Amino acid sequence: AIATHDEELIDKTNNKFYDYELLYGVRRDLQKNLLNRGYRVRIYVPFGTKWLPYTLRRLKEWKNLKFVFINVFREWYSCLIKKK
């Protein structure tokens, strides 16, 4: 399995033998695109009693926070455009 949202990395692997793991609610367009191309996609959802500390710890890393912020905004904007 490959856990990434990096489209360049996904394109380089371009292999039907991998499962692509992506975070729930982040880059749903990429998830659908991979599914439409015949790839196996797994959606990663942190859960359990320690999900919040885990999520906050991951968000403290600047690259993760920036990635999530950009993609939440992209998702919101995409939904806004579709409503018009």
Side-chain angles (χ1 to χ4, degrees), residues 15-49:
N15 192 319
K16 302 274 185 186
F17 296 109
Y18 290 117
D19 288 355
Y20 292 94
E21 299 177 342
L22 298 107
L23 288 170
Y24 175 76
V26 179
R27 293 295 314 270
R28 289 187 289 183
D29 61 323
L30 180 57
Q31 296 168 12
K32 289 176 187 173
N33 182 293
L34 288 168
L35 285 170
N36 290 338
R37 290 168 40 199
Y39 293 103
R40 291 184 305 255
V41 175
R42 294 179 187 203
I43 305 302
Y44 178 72
V45 181
F47 69 96
T49 59

